[in-house]
Amino acid sequence: MYKAGDEIVYGNLGVCSVVEVAQREMPGVEGRRWYYTLEPRFENQMRIYAPTENGRVRMRPVVTGEQARRLLDSIPSLRAAARSLPDGQPEALVADCEEKLALDGCGDLIARALFTCAPRALASDYKRRIGLGDRMAAKQAQQRLLQELGLALNVPPARVREAIDQRIAAPAVKRDAAVQA
C-alpha cells in the first residue's frame, strides 16, 4: 500500500502524488473502503479517489533515478529493435526490455519510450502515414514519459527531451554525459 507523500503513476493519467490514504464512503459503493486521494503532478488541479484495492486501473511507483538513466541509455537499442518488429507487435520487445533493464512492472514506461522515440521512423518503415489519432497518442505518451523521467532525474521535462534526442543522434561514447542527476 502506498502512503501519503508517495509519487505514483496512475493509469494513463500519469504521475500523481498520494495526498492521503483513508476509509471513505462513496456513492454507489456498499460500505466503507480504503481510498487513495491522488493529485496529478502535471495536470490541472483535481483530486482523484482511487480504491487501494483497484484491479481496473494500474498503479505503480515512479521509477528511480537509476532506472530512468538505464531507460535513457537503452533508447537507441529500443528504437532499432522497434524497427525490426512486425507491425503492431511491440509486446514481446516491451517484456524483454522490462526484464533486461530491471524495470519490473514498468512495461507501460518502456512502451511510451518506444512510442515517443520511433513513431515516424516506424511509420516510414511500413510505408504509411501517421494518422491524427496516432499523433495524439504519441504526443500524450511523450508527455507522460518526459514527466516521469524528469521527476525521477530531478530535471525539467524539456531537459529529458534533449537527453533523448542526444541519445538517438549521438555515438555511444557521447551518451554518458547527456543527463547527470
Side-chain angles (χ1 to χ4, degrees):
M1 185 181 286
Y2 302 110
K3 62 185 183 317
D6 286 349
E7 302 287 345
I8 66 169
V9 176
Y10 178 74
N12 287 330
L13 190 59
V15 177
C16 293
S17 296
V18 178
V19 176
E20 178 183 52
V21 183
Q23 283 191 331
R24 299 185 179 282
E25 286 187 28
M26 293 294 216
V29 178
E30 191 175 317
R32 295 176 65 80
R33 292 177 59 188
W34 286 95
Y35 284 85
Y36 295 117
T37 302
L38 306 174
E39 287 184 354
R41 285 286 306 258
F42 299 98
E43 300 294 328
N44 293 333
Q45 290 300 316
M46 69 170 128
R47 285 203 164 182
I48 300 161
Y49 299 99
T52 58
E53 305 218 4
N54 185 352
R56 293 172 50 197
V57 178
R58 188 158 186 259
M59 290 183 268
R60 64 168 176 78
V62 169
V63 294
T64 65
E66 178 57 33
Q67 290 172 318
R69 283 187 283 283
R70 279 198 311 264
L71 182 61
L72 285 174
D73 289 341
S74 73
I75 283 175
S77 61
L78 285 176
R79 185 176 185 192
R83 285 183 157 187
S84 68
L85 288 173
D87 192 14
Q89 296 184 12
E91 296 85 8
L93 177 60
V94 168
D96 185 50
C97 291
E98 195 170 5
E99 182 180 330
K100 285 181 182 173
L101 296 173
L103 293 173
D104 295 334
C106 296
D108 62 316
L109 185 63
I110 295 166
R112 283 190 188 116
L114 284 170
F115 208 16
T116 296
C117 300
R120 286 193 176 92
L122 293 173
S124 66
D125 288 351
Y126 293 112
K127 296 178 178 50
R128 64 181 191 149
R129 291 183 51 214
I130 299 176
L132 178 61
D134 288 340
R135 284 196 310 265
M136 289 173 58
K139 184 176 180 176
Q140 183 182 36
Q142 179 182 73
Q143 182 181 24
R144 302 289 185 243
L145 173 74
L146 298 178
Q147 290 169 350
E148 182 173 2
L149 294 180
L151 185 64
L153 296 168
N154 199 27
V155 297
R159 284 266 330 272
V160 178
R161 176 75 250 179
E162 292 169 11
I164 290 172
D165 290 342
Q166 289 172 1
R167 279 170 167 72
I168 290 171
V173 177
K174 294 182 182 177
R175 284 190 205 125
D176 295 334
V179 167
Q180 298 294 323

